[in-house]
Amino acid sequence: MDEKSFHVDDPSAQCAIPVPVTHRPAVTSPYKKWGRRLALLLTFMFTVHFLSDVNRPHHHGHEGQDYGMLNALMRHAPKKGSVLRGKKAEQLFLSVPDTDSAITTSRVYADKPHMAGSEGDFDTAKYFLAHLQEELQIDRSSSDIPLYSAGSRESREATLSISSLDEPKAWVDIYYPILNSPLDRSLEILGDDGNPVWSAQLEEVADETDPYAFKSANAVPTWHGISRGGQAEGKLIDAHYGRKRDFDALVEAGVDFSGKIVLTRYGGNFRGLKIKRAQELGAAAVLVYSDPHDDGTVTVENGYVPYPHGPARNPTSVQRGSVQFLSLYPGDPSTPGYPSYENSTRVEGGSKPTIPSLPISWANAEVLLKHLEDGHEGPTVRLVNNVDEKVTPIWNVMGVIPGHVKSEVVVIGAHRDAWVTGASDPISGTVSLSEVIRGFGVLLKKGWKPLRTILITSWDGEEFGLIGSTEWGEDFSEWIKNHVVAYVNMDTSASGSRFKASGSPLLAHLFRETAEQIPHPTSEERSLWDARGDSGTLFGQHTDAEIAAMHENKRLTADSIGVSPLGSGSDYTVFLQYHGVPSTDNGFTSTLHDPVYHYHSIFDTQYWQELYGDPGFSRHVAIAKHTGLQVLRLSGDIILPFNTTHYSIELESYLDKVTSIAAAGSHDVDLSPLRDSLHALQSASLELDSAKTKAELKLRKILKQIKKKHAICHKIRRKIHKASCKLKKVFGKHQCESKDKHEDMEREHSHRPPSQHLVKAIQRVQAVNKRLIAFERSFISKDGIKDREWYKHLGVAPGKWSGYGATTFPGITEALTMDKNATAAAYEAGRLKVLIDDLLETIRL
């Protein structure tokens, strides 16, 4: 018998099908005729089945290997529609975030105060949990809230099992930091006889024009979180912004701070560092006020009416906020470096002030400034700041969307706690995150499953010092090290007109590419990325030159792509600075020509947000789309979208800066060995780029071939199925397998073990991704940064005396600028060189 066969080379899709073509003798009996046909058909089907199984590797030879990427790439379509991934998934996601939905959600969260640890805060945690459960289709049949005490078996298992989950899950973790709350406060000017001649009204004043501010005016008194309780009395001294250089200039001018009350204005650095420097100089207490000069052109002086009747500053507004020394370490001051369980050992942390402080309004500061003599020393002032300090529960809400590659996790988060109602900070970020969750929910309903697992987080206690995220990050250090590949942060999505772009250089290209794909929220012909240059529409003749210069300097920190490095001040800190997880942060921020954003005051309300902050909520939605698109790429791309070459080039620009600093200070320090290592890193990174491209192209080529061969096999099997049904009818069997059952068999057939060359292609991809993940982590030093060892990233850290802004190559920079020590700078350069050289070996394939 002559025989030809149709043969497919790929074992993972093999379907060798012999086609009989020989002549047969005539058969007169119809039964014998159909019997022969049936025998041939059965032989034919057996041959197909046998040959499609040969030469396949078996799973028992690959125990412990992660087949997640393989399962994702080889996954057949569900019964209804095709597998949702890539561009189709992105397009569907981008169609979901909606302004009406965002406004509705914001009105729920910003309806009442929800300071960390309060009843209102717990209500928002439960609301966010319910939203996760609904959108991710998590079983809600139990009336019990999945509420787990940090350190408990349930809490430990919830996070540690993320990398093995098959279905979405959500829960709440409770941490127990020491927080304070205000008791009684007062501020007075004393006469020569020691009696008060003026008493400040410390409360903010609102009317019914803004119903939210009016309702919440007395809900949360004006005070500083983590502030020292007590009373102080002394002469008043004006220290301008309270930056280190402001204090140092006064000391050089002969000003003695011992026992004095220091008056500073907000801006220039983190508020806690104003108190830190004052206490180091022997001051008795600090007052911090909001100055209209910092509001740019939107002032009464330029004819603008104060809020709530206009866009200018309400003179009674007060900026609350934490005064923890953030640049030393974030989180619960009483548990530095370890998590705040209910029974944790507490210490008197070094990040808490030892002198009292109060935030005050411009209306009060104006009175004090008029009493100052020669702009420096003024009358005797007495302040009282009594606080209640105790262990206080806070609630992190967590939600998981399991991916195929369970060992790699992308985290997206925003904090939820506010000082009062916080419509901008933090609710605009929470609203954008809620829209992202709705988008993911729609994708899940359409059969989407991410390649990598996604962890969604709603942090608590951020306002007191990044506490919720930091305590979780310290709690699960090893798990984060082993599994988290990137963190995408939102804080304030909308408080003004300018789009802020910040992130690790590793993610700068991803950040820009995704921002360029999102439409500008108010200008159709531009993109979201173009909004980085927006600056508001409210102008005037009178402005402060120093303020304008400070704002311009912020714009100059961006890298060659246009993305600024991350310092601190939000929940990315523990991920980037403590664990070496590349991170991004974005949102719309206020400029000198926007309606005044009443940061951390009772006037950060839903009314202000809808009227001035983001009318129509298009900025909320733009941030949701941009953030979600980043997460979809990070969780869905075969090769992680990390650009190590850009990062290695930026590292040399960091070195250029410290070289300039050394030259300006006449410091003799040899940085050429470090530069040589950076050049070697750049070369190795270019080789890694080539390996990335080759690995992905090879895998895609194999997948394309498999898809084509599967289609051929599927077509042939369909014909066999139809022929089999006809035979059954001939022999009186009128029932045939349903179409669904046949498709189930098809899927079962496709799930057989893969071919060796497909496995090897996936292993090459995984090897590349492993090196990409290691890049940022390689900057983590066990010993950390001098004098603030909690911060372990030697490439970037919050400025020691700025708190918010980033300092690149902090060890070298601070040795030159603060210690004025070339030997210390050389030592720090050597430490960094060791990390760079180790990284060089790590990324080489």
Side-chain angles (χ1 to χ4, degrees), residues 523-593:
S523 178
E524 292 183 0
E525 68 275 11
R526 296 192 295 153
S527 71
L528 175 62
W529 181 252
D530 296 325
R532 293 178 310 119
D534 292 358
S535 61
T537 59
L538 305 179
F539 296 90
Q541 293 182 342
H542 304 284
T543 189
D544 188 300
E546 183 181 16
I547 299 300
M550 288 170 61
H551 276 250
E552 183 59 29
N553 286 338
K554 290 181 180 179
R555 288 170 56 90
L556 299 177
T557 62
D559 65 10
S560 58
I561 299 298
V563 177
S564 298
L566 290 168
S568 186
S570 196
D571 292 304
Y572 55 77
T573 300
V574 71
F575 289 95
L576 177 63
Q577 315 290 358
Y578 193 75
H579 291 299
V581 174
S583 305
T584 65
D585 184 51
N586 67 162
F588 280 89
T589 187
S590 182
T591 73
L592 298 178
H593 310 297

Side-chain angles (χ1 to χ4, degrees), residues 262-293:
V262 180
L263 178 66
T264 71
R265 61 201 267 191
Y266 276 112
N269 62 349
F270 180 68
R271 68 186 75 80
L273 299 178
K274 304 174 191 290
I275 286 86
K276 184 177 189 295
R277 188 55 180 155
Q279 78 179 33
E280 289 177 349
L281 295 173
V286 178
L287 299 167
V288 192
Y289 71 95
S290 301
D291 195 314
H293 286 93

Side-chain angles (χ1 to χ4, degrees), residues 599-613:
Y599 181 55
H600 288 181
S601 81
I602 64 168
F603 301 110
D604 180 7
T605 64
Q606 185 69 20
Y607 180 82
W608 182 87
Q609 185 68 276
E610 293 188 34
L611 181 64
Y612 290 122

Side-chain angles (χ1 to χ4, degrees), residues 443-474:
L443 293 181
L444 287 169
K445 293 178 179 70
K446 295 291 186 178
W448 167 78
K449 183 175 183 178
L451 181 61
R452 299 175 184 88
T453 291
I454 298 171
L455 173 61
I456 301 165
T457 57
S458 175
W459 305 115
D460 203 355
E462 190 270 357
E463 295 294 1
F464 278 87
L466 322 181
I467 292 178
S469 57
T470 300
E471 299 311 306
W472 183 83
E474 292 174 342

